[in-house]
Amino acid sequence: MENNDFISLARCAKKASVKAQGLSSKIKNAALEAVAKALEINKAKIFEANREDLQYAKTLLNNGELTPSTFNRLKLDENKMRDMVKGIIDISRLDDPVNRTLLARELDEGLTLYKVSCPIGVLGIIFEARPDVISQISALAIKSSNSVILKGGKEAKNTNKIILDIINKALDTVEGFPKNLLSQIYSREDVSKMLDADKYIDLIIPRGGNSLVKFIKSNTKIPVLGHADGVCHIYTDKNADIEIAKKVVIDAKTQYSSACNTVETLLIHKDFAQSEELLNAVKNAGVELISEPETWHREYSDLKLAYKYVENIDKAIEHINEYGSGHTESIITTDDKAAEKFMNLVDSAGVYHNVSTRFADGFRYGFGAEVGISTNKTHARGPVGIDGLVIYKYKLIGNGQIVKDYADGEKQFHHKDLK
Amino acid sequence: MENNDFISLARCAKKASVKAQGLSSKIKNAALEAVAKALEINKAKIFEANREDLQYAKTLLNNGELTPSTFNRLKLDENKMRDMVKGIIDISRLDDPVNRTLLARELDEGLTLYKVSCPIGVLGIIFEARPDVISQISALAIKSSNSVILKGGKEAKNTNKIILDIINKALDTVEGFPKNLLSQIYSREDVSKMLDADKYIDLIIPRGGNSLVKFIKSNTKIPVLGHADGVCHIYTDKNADIEIAKKVVIDAKTQYSSACNTVETLLIHKDFAQSEELLNAVKNAGVELISEPETWHREYSDLKLAYKYVENIDKAIEHINEYGSGHTESIITTDDKAAEKFMNLVDSAGVYHNVSTRFADGFRYGFGAEVGISTNKTHARGPVGIDGLVIYKYKLIGNGQIVKDYADGEKQFHHKDLK
């Protein structure tokens, strides 16, 4: 795509996002239902495109250019298709995040301020393999009145293309629905152009591995929502219940060891009496224990766990704030005061007491849909639901009020919040 | 300052910010009272340092290196000093923005999720001239449990130094208050290091002119809260009340023409019958009217107003979304439907109906204190109060829950929101 082509696509997306701000919940939900139905009806075409991609991906797999897990995520079957369709219907049932009145305040008689939620604008989504991301993000964008420009992995090109074509054709049948809300780019060159287009793109959401996220964060001025690393910790305090400690550490490491919320480092209070029992249980669960890792920053994403004894809870907190990634950490203790201290002073998106770090997830938190997990310190942190895709504007309504009257003291603000 | 020196300062700030998360409202308010008192007691010293700065600034003024308005903002007198002290007391009376429970949800029996507000961490504040920014930002940081690293203009160096020294000495007397929460840097080299230090600095807030803000936005990966431009618009609809139109446009242009929320472009519906009367009134108020500006992006910050006739409201909205800066825009109309359309489809932080754009201000909105005005599309938009200095974390409390039980279907989430 020529540079001008990308810019004109981005301008169209921006215009569509403005139009989408005015859409009613009814139109948006009708659109989601039309999309779900169209995907269901056209699934044979999707499977066909997916088979083409799988054939190409197999050569990449054989060349070692694709990992087996990425290959597996690429494959769509009846079950995944059913989940995709169900996911869209689930999103249609969420409350509309747009046009919520967050504050209504009379500044003075006849001068009323409203803080109202509204879409962010244009989202750039960059993801790898999983073609189900297309339908999920499209549904979230429709529901939250945002435009999206999607960029999937080349290994899923045909599947991604047909899915978005089907979605856009379905949207064309919905009266009043703007054109160009959802679009797709395919080349690395276009990704570079997107990362440069801070005039048009308001937020970038990378969904993929560490190196993808790091690359994006280093190559754009546009805000990025996501996380590069998930170096999660469990700290077993002096007064820990050994049964809880064993259960939680084993779950956090073995239940799905390549997830970002899996535990990577176990810190143990030096006076915890049953530390040997804990370490043996973890080892017996098939986990390789590493007492002297090359670096405490490492995300293993594997059945490997670094561990270390610490002097006290303060040293544990210090270690986590120094080497952690701000994702999710858990303390195992029967001492509620210690737990409170840990949860207040550990500077992470999730701070847990006596539970597995694996709970860090939008669906488990009850958000209905997950945009991603963020380790940012602004806008949205932790598992991000659809609320992370909106911002707000201030509407001020009066009948000729001017600032001069207030500056001169002729009028005074009274700032009364309205129900 | 050597690079290592800056990094060690930033590390200390980060550690202080962690400690500050645990501070009670009582300690923070005691700290604010101690600071207010210390500034009051030591004002003679502050005036003395300010006189030194003014002497140096006078040579800059004579050389043309400083504008008269910057020179005027540098000067502290009894009135400004009283306002500074009152500002700190006002901030002490705000609700504590930290440790608010934003959501409490039982995910399952005995497994409860809390979303709790917390400080962002370390703020980098870069500002020009006005030394009263130091006390205001310091007070906001204390109240919101954030660390700050301040960088003021060289013309205010002595004043800034003595003010922060007095504040930090006062904080030393407050039991339990962490050291190094507030620090200051003085050189441009340190600013560069700060903009590079994304490991330590969580948010940059520039308070100053367009070129300062643009420079910062282009030179850091750290999120920046603020606005570079304030190109505000007023659109006079076909059905506008001429008296309101005259009053509002004149106020928005003349009440303080160098403010960021002053109007720069007037759009007039081509069928508005009294457009000549409106333009004459504006001209008679001392405003130079510009019908063919070099660019519609221009922020005059002066008694100059670009104007243009438009075909209809859609063209007005299009013009604003294309040439505006997303700051504040107002429609003058007696047609509520048109006003609603304008407020929904104009993509700006403030969208007004029949009022002056000059109302875009944290104090006028009743926020008690203003961090700045943001044209960002994420985190905080429009006038930002102390709430813009916090984010949240998720606390999850249980008694040994593991994800495996839910994945295997042995347990189910029930997601009950608690009061």
PDB file of all heavy atoms in Angstrom, chain B residues 255-277:
ATOM      1  N   GLN B 255     -11.771  38.156  26.736  1.00  0.00           N
ATOM      2  CA  GLN B 255     -11.680  38.187  28.200  1.00  0.00           C
ATOM      3  C   GLN B 255     -10.260  37.880  28.667  1.00  0.00           C
ATOM      4  O   GLN B 255      -9.810  38.388  29.673  1.00  0.00           O
ATOM      5  CB  GLN B 255     -12.703  37.206  28.802  1.00  0.00           C
ATOM      6  CG  GLN B 255     -13.040  37.489  30.270  1.00  0.00           C
ATOM      7  CD  GLN B 255     -12.174  36.685  31.209  1.00  0.00           C
ATOM      8  OE1 GLN B 255     -11.729  35.589  30.874  1.00  0.00           O
ATOM      9  NE2 GLN B 255     -11.919  37.230  32.398  1.00  0.00           N
ATOM     10  N   TYR B 256      -9.534  37.031  27.908  1.00  0.00           N
ATOM     11  CA  TYR B 256      -8.118  36.753  28.205  1.00  0.00           C
ATOM     12  C   TYR B 256      -7.560  36.064  26.972  1.00  0.00           C
ATOM     13  O   TYR B 256      -7.537  34.844  26.877  1.00  0.00           O
ATOM     14  CB  TYR B 256      -8.019  35.886  29.464  1.00  0.00           C
ATOM     15  CG  TYR B 256      -6.607  35.581  29.910  1.00  0.00           C
ATOM     16  CD1 TYR B 256      -5.557  36.488  29.718  1.00  0.00           C
ATOM     17  CD2 TYR B 256      -6.306  34.383  30.547  1.00  0.00           C
ATOM     18  CE1 TYR B 256      -4.279  36.202  30.132  1.00  0.00           C
ATOM     19  CE2 TYR B 256      -5.025  34.080  30.968  1.00  0.00           C
ATOM     20  CZ  TYR B 256      -4.017  34.999  30.758  1.00  0.00           C
ATOM     21  OH  TYR B 256      -2.734  34.700  31.168  1.00  0.00           O
ATOM     22  N   SER B 257      -7.119  36.897  26.023  1.00  0.00           N
ATOM     23  CA  SER B 257      -6.907  36.373  24.679  1.00  0.00           C
ATOM     24  C   SER B 257      -5.690  35.461  24.536  1.00  0.00           C
ATOM     25  O   SER B 257      -5.538  34.785  23.523  1.00  0.00           O
ATOM     26  CB  SER B 257      -6.811  37.514  23.663  1.00  0.00           C
ATOM     27  OG  SER B 257      -5.664  38.281  23.920  1.00  0.00           O
ATOM     28  N   SER B 258      -4.813  35.394  25.557  1.00  0.00           N
ATOM     29  CA  SER B 258      -3.665  34.499  25.410  1.00  0.00           C
ATOM     30  C   SER B 258      -3.899  33.141  26.077  1.00  0.00           C
ATOM     31  O   SER B 258      -3.014  32.294  26.088  1.00  0.00           O
ATOM     32  CB  SER B 258      -2.404  35.170  25.958  1.00  0.00           C
ATOM     33  OG  SER B 258      -2.536  35.395  27.332  1.00  0.00           O
ATOM     34  N   ALA B 259      -5.104  32.930  26.607  1.00  0.00           N
ATOM     35  CA  ALA B 259      -5.400  31.626  27.231  1.00  0.00           C
ATOM     36  C   ALA B 259      -5.596  30.560  26.157  1.00  0.00           C
ATOM     37  O   ALA B 259      -5.902  30.869  25.005  1.00  0.00           O
ATOM     38  CB  ALA B 259      -6.653  31.731  28.092  1.00  0.00           C
ATOM     39  N   CYS B 260      -5.439  29.286  26.550  1.00  0.00           N
ATOM     40  CA  CYS B 260      -5.572  28.207  25.569  1.00  0.00           C
ATOM     41  C   CYS B 260      -7.026  27.964  25.186  1.00  0.00           C
ATOM     42  O   CYS B 260      -7.301  27.381  24.144  1.00  0.00           O
ATOM     43  CB  CYS B 260      -4.954  26.913  26.096  1.00  0.00           C
ATOM     44  SG  CYS B 260      -5.734  26.279  27.590  1.00  0.00           S
ATOM     45  N   ASN B 261      -7.962  28.425  26.019  1.00  0.00           N
ATOM     46  CA  ASN B 261      -9.383  28.174  25.734  1.00  0.00           C
ATOM     47  C   ASN B 261     -10.081  29.367  25.078  1.00  0.00           C
ATOM     48  O   ASN B 261     -11.298  29.432  25.018  1.00  0.00           O
ATOM     49  CB  ASN B 261     -10.114  27.750  27.014  1.00  0.00           C
ATOM     50  CG  ASN B 261      -9.897  28.736  28.145  1.00  0.00           C
ATOM     51  OD1 ASN B 261      -9.488  29.878  27.904  1.00  0.00           O
ATOM     52  ND2 ASN B 261     -10.173  28.323  29.356  1.00  0.00           N
ATOM     53  N   THR B 262      -9.291  30.310  24.586  1.00  0.00           N
ATOM     54  CA  THR B 262      -9.846  31.447  23.854  1.00  0.00           C
ATOM     55  C   THR B 262     -10.225  30.984  22.444  1.00  0.00           C
ATOM     56  O   THR B 262      -9.633  30.047  21.911  1.00  0.00           O
ATOM     57  CB  THR B 262      -8.789  32.584  23.848  1.00  0.00           C
ATOM     58  OG1 THR B 262      -9.419  33.806  23.578  1.00  0.00           O
ATOM     59  CG2 THR B 262      -7.691  32.320  22.843  1.00  0.00           C
ATOM     60  N   VAL B 263     -11.248  31.615  21.843  1.00  0.00           N
ATOM     61  CA  VAL B 263     -11.673  31.170  20.513  1.00  0.00           C
ATOM     62  C   VAL B 263     -10.705  31.695  19.451  1.00  0.00           C
ATOM     63  O   VAL B 263     -10.218  32.824  19.541  1.00  0.00           O
ATOM     64  CB  VAL B 263     -13.123  31.622  20.217  1.00  0.00           C
ATOM     65  CG1 VAL B 263     -13.244  33.130  20.172  1.00  0.00           C
ATOM     66  CG2 VAL B 263     -13.638  31.005  18.907  1.00  0.00           C
ATOM     67  N   GLU B 264     -10.402  30.854  18.458  1.00  0.00           N
ATOM     68  CA  GLU B 264      -9.483  31.256  17.378  1.00  0.00           C
ATOM     69  C   GLU B 264     -10.191  31.324  16.032  1.00  0.00           C
ATOM     70  O   GLU B 264      -9.755  32.038  15.140  1.00  0.00           O
ATOM     71  CB  GLU B 264      -8.296  30.278  17.277  1.00  0.00           C
ATOM     72  CG  GLU B 264      -7.501  30.075  18.564  1.00  0.00           C
ATOM     73  CD  GLU B 264      -6.754  31.314  19.041  1.00  0.00           C
ATOM     74  OE1 GLU B 264      -6.853  32.372  18.405  1.00  0.00           O
ATOM     75  OE2 GLU B 264      -6.087  31.212  20.087  1.00  0.00           O
ATOM     76  N   THR B 265     -11.264  30.545  15.883  1.00  0.00           N
ATOM     77  CA  THR B 265     -11.978  30.521  14.607  1.00  0.00           C
ATOM     78  C   THR B 265     -13.487  30.572  14.843  1.00  0.00           C
ATOM     79  O   THR B 265     -14.012  29.805  15.653  1.00  0.00           O
ATOM     80  CB  THR B 265     -11.642  29.239  13.810  1.00  0.00           C
ATOM     81  OG1 THR B 265     -10.239  29.165  13.592  1.00  0.00           O
ATOM     82  CG2 THR B 265     -12.359  29.235  12.457  1.00  0.00           C
ATOM     83  N   LEU B 266     -14.132  31.491  14.127  1.00  0.00           N
ATOM     84  CA  LEU B 266     -15.594  31.611  14.179  1.00  0.00           C
ATOM     85  C   LEU B 266     -16.167  31.061  12.880  1.00  0.00           C
ATOM     86  O   LEU B 266     -15.803  31.522  11.790  1.00  0.00           O
ATOM     87  CB  LEU B 266     -15.975  33.087  14.346  1.00  0.00           C
ATOM     88  CG  LEU B 266     -17.459  33.442  14.260  1.00  0.00           C
ATOM     89  CD1 LEU B 266     -18.245  32.824  15.409  1.00  0.00           C
ATOM     90  CD2 LEU B 266     -17.637  34.975  14.266  1.00  0.00           C
ATOM     91  N   LEU B 267     -17.033  30.062  12.994  1.00  0.00           N
ATOM     92  CA  LEU B 267     -17.710  29.513  11.821  1.00  0.00           C
ATOM     93  C   LEU B 267     -19.161  30.006  11.864  1.00  0.00           C
ATOM     94  O   LEU B 267     -19.799  29.972  12.920  1.00  0.00           O
ATOM     95  CB  LEU B 267     -17.666  27.985  11.846  1.00  0.00           C
ATOM     96  CG  LEU B 267     -16.255  27.368  11.888  1.00  0.00           C
ATOM     97  CD1 LEU B 267     -16.321  25.863  12.153  1.00  0.00           C
ATOM     98  CD2 LEU B 267     -15.497  27.654  10.593  1.00  0.00           C
ATOM     99  N   ILE B 268     -19.655  30.488  10.714  1.00  0.00           N
ATOM    100  CA  ILE B 268     -21.005  31.059  10.684  1.00  0.00           C
ATOM    101  C   ILE B 268     -21.822  30.362   9.603  1.00  0.00           C
ATOM    102  O   ILE B 268     -21.358  30.244   8.454  1.00  0.00           O
ATOM    103  CB  ILE B 268     -20.967  32.582  10.384  1.00  0.00           C
ATOM    104  CG1 ILE B 268     -20.010  33.291  11.347  1.00  0.00           C
ATOM    105  CG2 ILE B 268     -22.359  33.187  10.475  1.00  0.00           C
ATOM    106  CD1 ILE B 268     -19.775  34.759  10.998  1.00  0.00           C
ATOM    107  N   HIS B 269     -22.998  29.906   9.950  1.00  0.00           N
ATOM    108  CA  HIS B 269     -23.902  29.313   8.954  1.00  0.00           C
ATOM    109  C   HIS B 269     -24.205  30.373   7.905  1.00  0.00           C
ATOM    110  O   HIS B 269     -24.529  31.515   8.241  1.00  0.00           O
ATOM    111  CB  HIS B 269     -25.181  28.840   9.636  1.00  0.00           C
ATOM    112  CG  HIS B 269     -26.032  27.973   8.760  1.00  0.00           C
ATOM    113  ND1 HIS B 269     -26.675  28.448   7.640  1.00  0.00           N
ATOM    114  CD2 HIS B 269     -26.321  26.652   8.820  1.00  0.00           C
ATOM    115  CE1 HIS B 269     -27.341  27.455   7.063  1.00  0.00           C
ATOM    116  NE2 HIS B 269     -27.143  26.348   7.761  1.00  0.00           N
ATOM    117  N   LYS B 270     -24.133  30.004   6.616  1.00  0.00           N
ATOM    118  CA  LYS B 270     -24.259  30.992   5.538  1.00  0.00           C
ATOM    119  C   LYS B 270     -25.635  31.668   5.541  1.00  0.00           C
ATOM    120  O   LYS B 270     -25.796  32.768   5.027  1.00  0.00           O
ATOM    121  CB  LYS B 270     -23.971  30.345   4.178  1.00  0.00           C
ATOM    122  CG  LYS B 270     -25.023  29.348   3.699  1.00  0.00           C
ATOM    123  CD  LYS B 270     -24.745  28.941   2.275  1.00  0.00           C
ATOM    124  CE  LYS B 270     -25.780  28.010   1.660  1.00  0.00           C
ATOM    125  NZ  LYS B 270     -26.984  27.645   2.358  1.00  0.00           N
ATOM    126  N   ASP B 271     -26.634  31.018   6.162  1.00  0.00           N
ATOM    127  CA  ASP B 271     -27.975  31.613   6.193  1.00  0.00           C
ATOM    128  C   ASP B 271     -28.297  32.301   7.516  1.00  0.00           C
ATOM    129  O   ASP B 271     -29.449  32.633   7.775  1.00  0.00           O
ATOM    130  CB  ASP B 271     -29.029  30.534   5.904  1.00  0.00           C
ATOM    131  CG  ASP B 271     -28.828  29.907   4.535  1.00  0.00           C
ATOM    132  OD1 ASP B 271     -28.334  30.618   3.628  1.00  0.00           O
ATOM    133  OD2 ASP B 271     -29.133  28.714   4.373  1.00  0.00           O
ATOM    134  N   PHE B 272     -27.313  32.489   8.364  1.00  0.00           N
ATOM    135  CA  PHE B 272     -27.561  33.218   9.613  1.00  0.00           C
ATOM    136  C   PHE B 272     -27.767  34.691   9.246  1.00  0.00           C
ATOM    137  O   PHE B 272     -26.863  35.348   8.727  1.00  0.00           O
ATOM    138  CB  PHE B 272     -26.376  33.055  10.577  1.00  0.00           C
ATOM    139  CG  PHE B 272     -26.528  33.842  11.853  1.00  0.00           C
ATOM    140  CD1 PHE B 272     -27.697  33.772  12.621  1.00  0.00           C
ATOM    141  CD2 PHE B 272     -25.488  34.660  12.310  1.00  0.00           C
ATOM    142  CE1 PHE B 272     -27.818  34.497  13.800  1.00  0.00           C
ATOM    143  CE2 PHE B 272     -25.612  35.392  13.482  1.00  0.00           C
ATOM    144  CZ  PHE B 272     -26.780  35.305  14.232  1.00  0.00           C
ATOM    145  N   ALA B 273     -28.963  35.186   9.505  1.00  0.00           N
ATOM    146  CA  ALA B 273     -29.349  36.495   8.978  1.00  0.00           C
ATOM    147  C   ALA B 273     -28.554  37.642   9.589  1.00  0.00           C
ATOM    148  O   ALA B 273     -28.337  38.669   8.935  1.00  0.00           O
ATOM    149  CB  ALA B 273     -30.844  36.713   9.196  1.00  0.00           C
ATOM    150  N   GLN B 274     -28.112  37.479  10.848  1.00  0.00           N
ATOM    151  CA  GLN B 274     -27.463  38.620  11.508  1.00  0.00           C
ATOM    152  C   GLN B 274     -25.949  38.503  11.561  1.00  0.00           C
ATOM    153  O   GLN B 274     -25.311  39.019  12.479  1.00  0.00           O
ATOM    154  CB  GLN B 274     -28.039  38.784  12.919  1.00  0.00           C
ATOM    155  CG  GLN B 274     -29.493  39.254  12.884  1.00  0.00           C
ATOM    156  CD  GLN B 274     -30.320  38.553  13.959  1.00  0.00           C
ATOM    157  OE1 GLN B 274     -30.394  37.321  13.998  1.00  0.00           O
ATOM    158  NE2 GLN B 274     -30.903  39.349  14.828  1.00  0.00           N
ATOM    159  N   SER B 275     -25.358  37.837  10.570  1.00  0.00           N
ATOM    160  CA  SER B 275     -23.909  37.618  10.620  1.00  0.00           C
ATOM    161  C   SER B 275     -23.133  38.929  10.567  1.00  0.00           C
ATOM    162  O   SER B 275     -22.102  39.084  11.226  1.00  0.00           O
ATOM    163  CB  SER B 275     -23.486  36.679   9.490  1.00  0.00           C
ATOM    164  OG  SER B 275     -23.812  37.239   8.242  1.00  0.00           O
ATOM    165  N   GLU B 276     -23.642  39.907   9.786  1.00  0.00           N
ATOM    166  CA  GLU B 276     -22.935  41.190   9.698  1.00  0.00           C
ATOM    167  C   GLU B 276     -22.923  41.893  11.052  1.00  0.00           C
ATOM    168  O   GLU B 276     -21.905  42.426  11.493  1.00  0.00           O
ATOM    169  CB  GLU B 276     -23.590  42.098   8.639  1.00  0.00           C
ATOM    170  CG  GLU B 276     -23.217  41.746   7.214  1.00  0.00           C
ATOM    171  CD  GLU B 276     -21.697  41.743   6.980  1.00  0.00           C
ATOM    172  OE1 GLU B 276     -21.023  42.710   7.394  1.00  0.00           O
ATOM    173  OE2 GLU B 276     -21.190  40.749   6.410  1.00  0.00           O
ATOM    174  N   GLU B 277     -24.074  41.854  11.725  1.00  0.00           N
ATOM    175  CA  GLU B 277     -24.185  42.479  13.047  1.00  0.00           C
ATOM    176  C   GLU B 277     -23.200  41.831  14.025  1.00  0.00           C
ATOM    177  O   GLU B 277     -22.529  42.509  14.800  1.00  0.00           O
ATOM    178  CB  GLU B 277     -25.635  42.334  13.546  1.00  0.00           C
ATOM    179  CG  GLU B 277     -25.856  43.041  14.883  1.00  0.00           C
ATOM    180  CD  GLU B 277     -27.294  42.892  15.419  1.00  0.00           C
ATOM    181  OE1 GLU B 277     -28.204  42.523  14.632  1.00  0.00           O
ATOM    182  OE2 GLU B 277     -27.482  43.132  16.622  1.00  0.00           O
TER     183      GLU B 277
END
